[in-house]
Amino acid sequence: MKRKLVFTWCVKEKVSKKVIGRIDLGGFVKKTIAEISYHYSYDSWGKGVAIEVAARVTNFGIKELGLRRIQGLVHIENRSSIRVLKKNGYLQEGILHYYPFGREFHDVIMLAIVQ
């Protein structure tokens, strides 16, 4: 796998089939490490969708791709996103201060699951 390779899935609502978000697995390092990221529409928040989809993508990364580590960077104030990863077995490893996050710099939390 190449570092610039990214697996991207559109997430659809089960009933309406409307696209409500996306989830990515990319930033590969030596075929053993990747980064998970996701974005969902506001209407889908709090319904467990992110937890379920993150579980599937994490399982895909570990079982299908043979990754040893999947990590996620979350804005320090985004408690819901931190909860999504923790519910899937990710552990908080630390805080990165003034980290490039999108087009700005923010304090972020690093969470990871390691096999």
Side-chain angles (χ1 to χ4, degrees):
M1 284 175 282
K2 296 184 179 182
R3 182 166 178 76
K4 294 190 180 203
L5 174 71
V6 177
F7 289 93
T8 299
W9 294 267
C10 286
V11 180
K12 293 182 179 180
E13 192 174 55
K14 289 182 181 179
V15 177
S16 71
K17 304 296 183 203
K18 174 184 166 190
V19 174
I20 57 171
R22 66 179 264 184
I23 188 164
D24 301 317
L25 190 63
F28 295 95
V29 178
K30 297 188 179 187
K31 300 180 184 177
T32 62
I33 300 172
E35 188 169 312
I36 190 170
S37 62
Y38 41 85
H39 306 277
Y40 291 93
S41 67
Y42 180 77
D43 295 342
S44 67
W45 292 4
K47 298 180 180 175
V49 176
I51 293 169
E52 178 185 340
V53 177
R56 290 181 182 188
V57 171
T58 298
N59 188 54
F60 170 78
I62 292 168
K63 295 203 171 153
E64 301 296 322
L65 301 180
L67 297 174
R68 300 277 322 270
R69 174 187 173 91
I70 302 174
Q71 60 191 33
L73 293 169
V74 180
H75 190 282
I76 200 164
E77 295 176 3
N78 190 343
R79 303 253 181 246
S80 296
S81 192
I82 294 165
R83 187 173 152 267
V84 166
L85 294 178
K86 284 186 172 182
K87 285 260 186 182
N88 280 291
Y90 287 69
L91 299 177
Q92 184 173 326
E93 294 186 329
I95 297 173
L96 303 172
H97 297 283
Y98 197 69
Y99 190 84
F101 195 75
R103 294 182 177 171
E104 300 176 353
F105 293 88
H106 294 278
D107 290 348
V108 297
I109 294 176
M110 169 70 77
L111 297 104
I113 189 165
V114 180
Q115 295 297 302

